[in-house]
Amino acid sequence: MSIKAFELVPAIERITLMSEKAKTQIGCIEVCGKNLYIGTTNCFVVHYKVEEKMSTSGKVVFNTEKQGHKYLAIKKPIVALKAASALNRILVLCDGTLTLLNMFDLEPIVGGAKVKGVNYFCVNESPSRNNPFSVEICVALKKKQLQLYTVTEDRMIHVRDFSIPEVALSLTLDGAFVCVALSSQYCMVNCDSTHVQDLFPYDSEHTKPLVKRISKEEFLLSGPNALGMFVTSDGISERPPLQWSENLLDVSYVHPYIIAMNDEFITIHSILDQQQKQAIPFQGGTFLGNFDGRIFIASTREIYSLVPVAWEKQVQALLADKRVKEALDLARNANKFGLSRDKFLRIFRRIQQQAGFIQFSQQHFDEALELFKNGEVDVREVVSLYPKLLPSISNFTRCVPPLHEIADVNQLCRGDESMLALYKNFLRMYLEEIRGTRDGHGYKQEIDIALLKLYAEVNSPELIPLIVVDTGCDLKDCVEVLEKFHRYHALGLLYKYHEENEKALIIWTRLADGHYKDEAFPGLEFVVEYLANLNDHELVWKYVDWALEKDPELAVQIFTERPESEPPTERFRPDMVIDYLHRFPKTVIAYLEYLVFQKKLEKEKYHTHLAVLYLDSVLQLMTTNNVKKEHLDQARSKLRHMLQISNLYRVQLILGKAKETEMFAECAILYGKLEEHDKALRILVHKLKDYGAAENYCLVNSQGREQNLRKRLFHILLSVYLDPAFERKDTLVAPAMALLNSNVAEFDTSKVLQLLPENWSVGLLSQFLTRAVRKSLNYCRMTRVECMMARGENLQVKQTCIELQKDPVPITDDRMCSVCNRAFNDPTFVCYPNGVVTHTHCAKNRQVCPVTGRLFSTKKS
Amino acid sequence: MGQRKNVPGSFLDKELVQTIGAAFFLKQWGDYNVAVWDTAGDERYTGLSSFYCRNAGAAILAFDLSSVSSYESLWARFLPLLDSADPDCVKIVVGTKMDLLTGDSREVTPEEAKRFAREINSTVDPSKFTRDPYFETSSLTGYNVNEVFEFIFQLCLPMSGDTKKKDREVWLI
C-alpha cells in the first residue's frame, strides 16, 4: 500500500558560478540552518541562503540567494562538507585533506588546522564531551587507521588512533561507537575498548558502502543484494532488513521513513514495517542527506528538497482510497506534529466523520456508529442521507467541503430492500444513542422527527414513548407520516402533546367507534381518562354525551376521576352534573358516591339523594323476581354503610320509606340516628334476633362519646332482653347472661340488680356478680390510694413552702432591686428561691430567675 | 530450509513467502520477550545469516524430510554459521513437510536425524535434554510446531527465581 509521504520540491534550479563552466557539477552538499553549501566536482565551495516559504497555493517553495563561493584551487572534487555552526566553521574534505573554512566568507583558516591522507570523515552525532565549542570527528585515513579529533575554531586536536583490518571507505560515529564500512566488510569499533567487531561481509564493487545513524547506537548499513541491514552497537540486529533496488546511491532517515536513492528512483520505506511506501522517479541523483530533519537531494546540477506531505493531506489521500484504518492510524499519530490539542482534535474529528461516512457507505455499521459518535458529526449530515427524514422546514445544507460523496441511501442500496432496512436500522440505533446526549444537543427536533418517521414505518413499540415524553416532533411533518402508516393512536398522542385536544379527540373517538384501526389504541378507558384530565371543560362537555352513550359506567369517570388540583368551575358544579347525568341512573349513584365518600362534601342534599338512590335500588331488587341473594345483600350493605357513616341525610325521609318494607337492619340504624335506641335495639333483638349486632350497636353508637352513654345503651339492651312484656322472653335469657358476662359490655351494677328478675339464682349470676364486686372493690381501693398520694404530695409542697419562707428577707433603704437596681418603694417584693430580690413588676417570669436565668421547676422533683 | 515457517496458532500466521535476508518476530513467553529470527536459506545470504546468528541462544536447523540434500546441507552449510552463536547454543534439528510424506518419499530416517542432533549438541550438558533435540513437524497442519518452541523455551529460559525481563534470542534457520 502506498502513501504519498513526501513531495519533491526544487530548491536550487541551477547552480550558478562566476565561471559558468559547463563542467561544474555538484559533489556534495551541506545545510545548516539557512545556509546551504555546495561542494562541486571542480573544487568550488558555494554558499547559498535558502528560505522555505509557503506559497499562496499551500505549496512549499524555496527562495535561494547566492552568498558567495570559494575556489580551493586544486582542481579536485570536494568529497565532503560538514558545518560546525557553533564554531562558525565548515569542514571540507578535498584531495585527501581535511581543512576548515569560515562559515560566512569561506576563507580558509590558517594555523595548522589540517589533516592529510584522509579517505572520509564524520562528525559525532552524540558527542560524549559536552563542550559546545568543540566538535568530535572521526577520520578514516588512507591507511588502515581511524583517528579521533576534537575540532575547535582554529585547531584539530588529535585524540587517539585505532587500527582496523582494512582501509575504511565510509563511517559514522555515534557516541563511543564507530560503524565502519571497510573494503570487504562492515565492522563496529568501540572507541573506549578499541575492540573491533566484524559485522558481515559485502562486496564494495557491487555495493556502495553506506553507514547511517538511525537512533542512538543503531545504524543502517547497505548490505549485499541491496538489503538494508540494521545494526546496534552490540553488533546485532533488532529489526528485520529491508529490500532496496540495485545500484543504491545514498540513504537517509527521517522518522519513520527511510529514504533511499538509486539511479532511477527515490524510494521511501517505513522503518515500522519495512515496507516500501512511495517511489518517486528521479534520475541523476548524486547526494541525499537529512539536515536536522530536512531532506535535501542533489543531482549534478540541481538541488531539491523532499518535503513531507502534511499529514492531513496524507490522511485525505488515504480516505480518498477508502483506506480508513490507515488514515485513522496516521491521523492519531499525527498528534505530535506541533498542533495545539484543540486544533488537532477539531481536525481529527472531521477525519473521523469522513471515515464514518466511508464505513457507512460500506455497511460497516458498528465502525460507522463509533466514528460518528467520536467524531461528533452533525446529526443532520447523517439524517440528510435518508430522503424525507429531515423536517420539511429544515434549511440544512450539507457541510462544505463535503464530508462524503454519498447522494443518499437509495443510491447506496440500489433498490436492495433488505439493505435499505439495514440502513434504516442503523440510523435508528444511532439516533437512539445520541438522543438526549451532548451530541444531540440542539437537534432535538431533527432527531425526534427522524425517529418518529422510522418508528412509524416499522410500527415500533418505541413510537409512543417517543411522542409522549418530551418530544421534539412537530405537527407539520409527523401528522402526514403517522396517517400514512395508520398510527392513529400515536397521532392522537401527538395532538395531545401539542395541546390540539379537539383534533386528538376526533382521532380517538374514531378509533373508539372503530372507524380507524390501530392496535396501539388502548380503548375507551383511555379516552375517558383523557377527558377526565382535560382542563378544557367546554371540550369535555362536547364529548361527555358520546362517552356516556358508549359506556355510562366508564364515562362517569370523566367526572369522578378529575385531577385533585383542578379548581372547581361552574361547568363542573355538582348540581349541574347531577342534573345532566339524570338520564343514566347508575352514573348518578357513582357520581354521588364520589361526592359523598371521596370529596366528602357535607351537603344534606347529596347525602339524602344518595341514600334515596341506594334505597331505591334495594327496593327495586326486592320487587323484581329471581334476584340473586348476594346482589340484594350487596345493595343493602351499601345502603346500611351509607346510613351508618353519614349523619347528614334526612333520617325521617328514609325511615318512612324503610318502614314500609321489612328492612329492619336499616330501620335500626335509622332509629339509632334518631337516638331512639330502645326502638332500634328492639328491632335488632326481636325482629332480627341478631344479638351480636345489638351489642355492636351499643358500641358503635357510643363510640367517641361519654362513658355513661355506653352504660345506658347496654342497660337498654339488657332491659330489652329482660322485658317481661315480650311473650318469648325465655329465649332471651341466654343472650342476657352472655351480655352480662361479656367483657365489652359496661353496666351500672346497682341498676342491673334492680332490673334482674327476682327468681334468678345467684349461681346463674355468680360470674357477673363476682366481677362486679371485684370491680367495685378495686375502684374503692384505687380511690383510697389516690387520696393518700394526694395528701402526701400536699405535705411535701407545704414543707417546701415553709423552707423557702423560713428565712427573713431584710429590705432596707439601700437594698436595690436586682433587675432595675432601684430602691424598693412598695411594701411588696419578689424573692426567688436563690435569694434574688426584685420588684414585683420586675419579676416577669416566676419560674426563671431574672439575674441568673436559672429555671425553677414548677413541680417538686 | 530457506522457507518460511508458516505456523498456525500461537506463532506465526503469515502468508508463505520467500524470506528476504531475514525475518524477525517477538514472542512473549512468561516474563520473557523472545526474539525469533528466521534467516534466509538462499546461498547468497550466507554472510548475513552468520551475522544474524551472533549470540543466539538456540537455533533451529530445519530440513525437508523428503530431501536428503537439504539434510546434508545442514551439516555442510548451516552448521558453520553457528560458530558466531553462543557457545552453549542449543541446536534443534527439525524435519519439515511431514504432511507431504507418502510411503517412500521419506529420504531421512528419524534415527539418523536424532543421531545428528545429539552429535551437534555435544557442547551442551546432555542432562539438560528431556528428549532428543529432534522434531518432525508440519507447518501446514501446525503439527509439533508449538512443541518445538516450548521445548526451546523450557530449555533456555529459567522460569523460576529470575523474574527480571531478559531478552534472549532464538534463531531459526
Side-chain angles (χ1 to χ4, degrees):
Chain A
M1 285 288 190
S2 63
I3 295 178
K4 196 178 177 196
F6 292 96
E7 255 177 332
L8 197 63
V9 177
I12 301 175
E13 299 274 10
R14 187 176 185 84
I15 54 161
T16 48
L17 286 176
M18 207 163 65
S19 58
E20 280 296 339
K21 280 179 189 160
K23 281 179 194 163
T24 300
Q25 287 187 354
I26 298 169
C28 58
I29 57 173
E30 165 73 350
V31 184
C32 174
K34 287 177 180 172
N35 300 299
L36 188 149
Y37 300 94
I38 300 168
T40 67
T41 49
N42 55 355
C43 214
F44 277 90
V45 176
V46 192
H47 180 200
Y48 280 90
K49 275 252 193 268
V50 177
E51 264 179 282
E52 194 176 325
K53 279 192 179 150
M54 198 69 96
S55 77
T56 44
S57 59
K59 292 210 164 177
V60 174
V61 290
F62 289 91
N63 284 347
T64 52
E65 194 185 333
K66 190 178 162 189
Q67 302 291 307
H69 66 266
K70 177 79 185 170
Y71 178 53
L72 296 184
I74 31 183
K75 290 185 179 169
K76 291 283 167 70
I78 309 269
V79 176
L81 284 171
K82 282 284 172 210
S85 55
L87 313 177
N88 289 339
R89 297 288 177 265
I90 43 177
L91 294 143
V92 184
L93 176 60
C94 179
D95 191 26
T97 307
L98 183 63
T99 51
L100 291 174
L101 296 184
N102 185 302
M103 206 171 150
F104 301 109
D105 59 15
L106 304 180
E107 285 306 315
I109 306 299
V110 285
K114 190 176 274 188
V115 185
K116 286 184 175 166
V118 177
N119 238 353
Y120 203 74
F121 76 100
C122 68
V123 176
N124 194 348
E125 300 184 43
S126 329
S128 51
R129 247 171 280 143
N130 38 19
N131 175 7
F133 299 106
S134 73
V135 173
E136 288 176 31
I137 60 165
C138 184
V139 174
L141 296 181
K142 289 191 194 291
K143 50 188 179 179
K144 295 174 188 171
Q145 201 176 36
L146 299 180
Q147 288 186 321
L148 282 185
Y149 286 89
T150 301
V151 180
T152 62
E153 269 191 347
D154 51 1
R155 226 167 262 263
M156 295 191 196
I157 304 148
H158 177 241
V159 181
R160 64 196 299 182
D161 295 339
F162 305 101
S163 296
I164 43 172
E166 295 166 28
V167 171
L169 303 178
S170 179
L171 76 172
T172 294
L173 172 61
D174 188 63
F177 291 92
V178 195
C179 189
V180 195
L182 305 178
S183 49
S184 69
Q185 66 162 333
Y186 286 96
C187 63
M188 185 72 69
V189 181
N190 183 333
C191 299
D192 295 335
S193 67
T194 68
H195 174 73
V196 179
Q197 183 175 36
D198 293 346
L199 296 173
F200 54 87
Y202 80 105
D203 179 359
S204 60
E205 274 177 35
H206 294 107
T207 306
K208 182 176 177 187
L210 293 168
V211 182
K212 298 288 166 179
R213 179 181 181 269
I214 293 295
S215 61
K216 187 164 166 47
E217 298 184 359
E218 186 177 8
F219 303 92
L220 174 62
L221 315 179
S222 65
N225 306 103
L227 280 179
M229 308 273 290
F230 295 92
V231 182
T232 68
S233 56
D234 292 335
I236 59 169
S237 182
E238 286 173 351
R239 297 179 212 263
L242 52 87
Q243 179 72 63
W244 285 312
S245 317
E246 297 293 325
N247 303 325
L248 194 70
L249 291 170
D250 211 344
V251 174
S252 194
Y253 170 73
V254 55
H255 182 80
Y257 296 114
I258 290 161
I259 298 150
M261 179 169 75
N262 70 0
D263 47 3
E264 283 177 292
F265 287 99
I266 295 164
T267 55
I268 289 144
H269 287 71
S270 166
I271 199 171
L272 304 173
D273 61 3
Q274 284 81 40
Q275 298 305 307
Q276 183 175 317
K277 298 295 175 186
Q278 190 184 357
I280 304 167
F282 188 81
Q283 289 185 338
T286 56
F287 190 91
L288 166 68
N290 170 3
F291 304 98
D292 292 326
R294 292 185 297 166
I295 304 284
F296 282 94
I297 294 168
S299 67
T300 50
R301 290 301 184 101
E302 285 101 18
I303 294 175
Y304 297 86
S305 180
L306 210 49
V307 179
V309 172
W311 64 272
E312 290 102 319
K313 277 193 192 162
Q314 294 187 40
V315 168
Q316 291 304 335
L318 286 169
L319 285 175
D321 289 349
K322 306 211 184 300
R323 285 152 64 187
V324 173
K325 195 182 163 297
E326 289 171 77
L328 289 172
D329 281 347
L330 183 62
R332 237 172 252 129
N333 289 322
N335 208 347
K336 309 147 198 147
F337 292 149
L339 282 173
S340 74
R341 189 167 165 71
D342 273 359
K343 202 169 171 195
F344 170 73
L345 279 179
R346 206 163 51 238
I347 296 169
F348 188 58
R349 273 201 293 273
R350 190 179 154 90
I351 291 167
Q352 282 180 312
Q353 294 173 8
Q354 289 176 296
F357 282 107
I358 292 171
Q359 298 285 24
F360 177 82
S361 67
Q362 297 173 339
Q363 291 96 44
H364 299 151
F365 293 121
D366 291 346
E367 291 84 351
L369 184 68
E370 207 56 32
L371 288 165
F372 284 155
K373 279 196 324 203
N374 293 339
E376 295 170 23
V377 70
D378 183 337
V379 181
R380 297 172 301 176
E381 286 279 355
V382 183
V383 177
S384 71
L385 291 175
Y386 295 80
K388 292 186 189 161
L389 282 194
L390 273 181
S392 54
I393 50 156
S394 170
N395 52 4
F396 172 74
T397 48
R398 290 182 192 175
C399 167
V400 178
L403 289 167
H404 53 82
E405 300 158 340
I406 309 164
D408 60 23
V409 286
N410 293 339
Q411 174 219 351
L412 292 175
C413 297
R414 295 201 190 87
D416 181 344
E417 284 299 323
S418 61
M419 193 187 285
L420 190 63
L422 284 178
Y423 268 111
K424 286 187 173 169
N425 194 37
F426 166 78
L427 182 64
R428 230 178 62 202
M429 259 168 49
Y430 169 62
L431 293 176
E432 278 167 4
E433 282 208 23
I434 62 161
R435 186 171 190 253
T437 64
R438 196 166 58 87
D439 292 349
H441 187 73
Y443 304 119
K444 188 168 174 51
Q445 192 184 27
E446 283 86 350
I447 294 175
D448 285 1
I449 289 180
L451 272 175
L452 179 132
K453 290 174 181 174
L454 290 167
Y455 287 154
E457 187 178 342
V458 298
N459 195 14
S460 160
E462 302 287 327
L463 176 61
I464 286 171
L466 173 76
I467 291 173
V468 174
V469 185
D470 184 31
T471 182
C473 302
D474 64 354
L475 285 170
K476 202 163 177 290
D477 295 68
C478 302
V479 170
E480 194 185 315
V481 174
L482 291 171
E483 273 176 353
K484 181 177 160 202
F485 293 107
H486 304 289
R487 312 289 172 224
Y488 294 111
H489 182 56
L491 180 59
L493 288 169
L494 186 65
Y495 278 132
K496 178 186 165 193
Y497 184 84
H498 289 283
E499 299 191 347
E500 299 258 9
N501 293 316
E502 181 138 26
K503 283 186 181 164
L505 278 167
I506 291 170
I507 300 283
W508 279 322
T509 49
R510 286 190 186 162
L511 277 166
D513 290 341
H515 299 314
Y516 287 161
K517 290 244 179 302
D518 181 358
E519 56 206 36
F521 178 63
L524 187 64
E525 299 85 357
F526 175 82
V527 188
V528 169
E529 193 193 322
Y530 174 58
L531 284 168
N533 288 299
L534 189 60
N535 52 17
D536 180 352
H537 294 167
E538 292 300 329
L539 192 62
V540 174
W541 278 110
K542 241 171 144 176
Y543 284 91
V544 163
D545 237 9
W546 170 83
L548 283 170
E549 291 289 349
K550 283 217 75 93
D551 185 343
E553 279 173 62
L554 194 60
V556 77
Q557 288 179 4
I558 296 171
F559 303 104
T560 60
E561 302 285 324
R562 302 220 60 87
E564 293 272 335
S565 52
E566 191 180 67
T569 58
E570 180 59 26
R571 294 294 287 154
F572 279 113
R573 211 152 48 79
D575 291 344
M576 284 194 53
V577 175
I578 292 169
D579 286 350
Y580 187 83
L581 293 176
H582 213 68
R583 285 186 292 144
F584 310 97
K586 281 191 173 166
T587 64
V588 179
I589 292 184
Y591 185 65
L592 284 169
E593 279 172 347
Y594 160 74
L595 290 178
V596 171
F597 299 127
Q598 251 174 285
K599 296 277 268 188
K600 305 211 185 310
L601 288 185
E602 308 224 321
K603 260 190 159 178
E604 179 269 336
K605 196 171 155 191
Y606 304 138
H607 286 241
T608 308
H609 194 168
L610 182 58
V612 168
L613 285 174
Y614 275 152
L615 188 61
D616 283 349
S617 69
V618 171
L619 291 175
Q620 202 187 348
L621 282 171
M622 280 171 140
T623 49
T624 42
N625 296 324
N626 294 331
V627 175
K628 277 193 184 162
K629 195 170 174 297
E630 56 253 40
H631 281 173
L632 185 59
D633 285 350
Q634 214 177 2
R636 285 186 67 173
S637 77
K638 258 178 153 177
L639 172 61
R640 281 201 298 275
H641 178 246
M642 167 71 201
L643 296 176
Q644 187 70 59
I645 66 152
S646 166
N647 293 321
L648 292 167
Y649 56 89
R650 276 152 59 196
V651 181
Q652 292 294 359
L653 180 81
I654 309 294
L655 186 58
K657 285 198 176 187
K659 272 202 283 196
E660 287 168 19
T661 52
E662 305 226 313
M663 294 166 71
F664 301 118
E666 289 78 3
C667 288
I669 294 168
L670 291 165
Y671 279 125
K673 293 281 172 193
L674 293 170
E675 304 273 312
E676 295 188 24
H677 301 302
D678 188 50
K679 275 187 184 168
L681 287 167
R682 264 174 209 284
I683 289 172
L684 288 171
V685 173
H686 292 158
K687 293 281 182 2
L688 292 172
K689 298 192 174 49
D690 189 344
Y691 311 122
E695 267 182 42
N696 200 31
Y697 175 90
C698 297
L699 287 175
V700 168
N701 281 288
S702 63
Q703 202 161 27
R705 295 164 80 170
E706 55 192 302
Q707 184 95 31
N708 281 339
L709 179 68
R710 178 166 292 188
K711 281 188 180 171
R712 225 180 71 217
L713 286 176
F714 277 110
H715 194 78
I716 293 169
L717 178 57
L718 188 63
S719 50
V720 169
Y721 283 149
L722 300 178
D723 185 4
F726 187 58
E727 63 269 28
R728 294 197 341 257
K729 64 182 176 191
D730 294 350
T731 57
L732 296 177
V733 172
M737 285 314 299
L739 181 65
L740 282 173
N741 293 335
S742 159
N743 284 328
V744 290
E746 286 170 45
F747 293 104
D748 192 334
T749 315
S750 53
K751 277 190 188 167
V752 171
L753 289 176
Q754 284 168 20
L755 199 68
L756 289 175
E758 293 191 354
N759 55 348
W760 283 18
S761 71
V762 175
L764 197 65
L765 291 168
S766 64
Q767 205 184 339
F768 169 70
L769 290 172
T770 319
R771 217 159 52 132
V773 169
R774 272 195 195 145
K775 219 176 188 177
S776 169
L777 263 175
N778 180 43
Y779 179 70
C780 171
R781 284 169 188 155
M782 284 310 290
T783 317
R784 259 198 210 156
V785 169
E786 275 173 35
C787 174
M788 285 308 163
M789 284 174 77
R791 195 181 281 177
E793 191 183 8
N794 182 262
L795 273 173
Q796 278 179 336
V797 171
K798 261 188 189 162
Q799 186 203 356
T800 318
C801 187
I802 290 166
E803 273 172 13
L804 288 172
Q805 290 178 344
K806 72 182 176 194
D807 294 326
V809 182
I811 300 292
T812 58
D813 285 347
D814 48 357
R815 175 124 200 185
M816 298 300 168
C817 168
S818 304
V819 176
C820 61
N821 223 15
R822 290 195 193 123
F824 289 92
N825 297 322
D826 300 336
T828 54
F829 62 89
V830 174
C831 178
Y832 283 90
N834 57 354
V836 171
V837 177
T838 70
H839 290 115
T840 44
H841 56 266
C842 290
K844 294 221 168 63
N845 190 334
R846 299 282 156 103
Q847 268 81 47
V848 182
C849 168
V851 178
T852 61
R854 189 170 142 198
L855 181 73
F856 302 110
S857 171
T858 49
K859 283 183 206 142
K860 185 74 193 165
S861 57
Chain B
M1 309 267 310
Q3 98 235 352
R4 215 31 174 336
K5 299 237 65 161
N6 181 30
V7 189
S10 62
F11 280 103
L12 268 173
D13 204 6
K14 291 183 185 167
E15 282 153 44
L16 201 73
V17 287
Q18 170 90 31
T19 307
I20 299 161
F24 165 84
F25 61 93
L26 276 173
K27 160 82 184 147
Q28 286 266 328
W29 195 75
D31 285 336
Y32 296 96
N33 283 319
V34 183
V36 182
W37 281 94
D38 175 6
T39 58
D42 198 309
E43 197 149 7
R44 61 195 172 124
Y45 295 119
T46 306
L48 299 186
S49 297
S50 148
F51 161 66
Y52 283 120
C53 286
R54 179 162 297 130
N55 296 343
I60 298 170
L61 295 151
F63 67 95
D64 184 347
L65 280 169
S66 59
S67 153
V68 74
S69 65
S70 73
Y71 174 67
E72 280 164 355
S73 69
L74 284 189
W75 177 80
R77 266 179 53 210
F78 293 97
L79 209 53
L81 297 182
L82 291 173
D83 291 347
S84 64
D86 208 62
D88 292 334
C89 177
V90 182
K91 301 160 192 91
I92 316 296
V93 180
V94 173
T96 61
K97 303 187 185 172
M98 265 278 273
D99 54 295
L100 294 178
L101 280 189
T102 53
D104 53 357
S105 66
R106 179 190 273 271
E107 293 187 357
V108 182
T109 66
E111 289 70 32
E112 56 180 318
K114 276 182 189 168
R115 200 169 53 243
F116 173 65
R118 279 197 298 273
E119 254 169 44
I120 60 173
N121 280 299
S122 56
T123 57
V124 183
D125 177 7
S127 66
K128 277 168 80 178
F129 291 119
T130 50
R131 53 165 291 171
D132 285 327
Y134 172 67
F135 291 82
E136 297 193 348
T137 66
S138 161
S139 53
L140 191 73
T141 62
Y143 170 75
N144 240 353
V145 173
N146 279 339
E147 283 76 358
V148 173
F149 285 97
E150 285 294 314
F151 177 77
I152 293 169
F153 295 160
Q154 299 217 329
L155 204 65
C156 302
L157 307 173
M159 278 304 273
S160 58
D162 185 13
T163 53
K164 225 168 61 180
K165 277 204 179 172
K166 191 175 162 191
D167 288 322
R168 291 285 293 267
E169 278 152 50
V170 174
W171 309 91
L172 208 157
I173 299 179

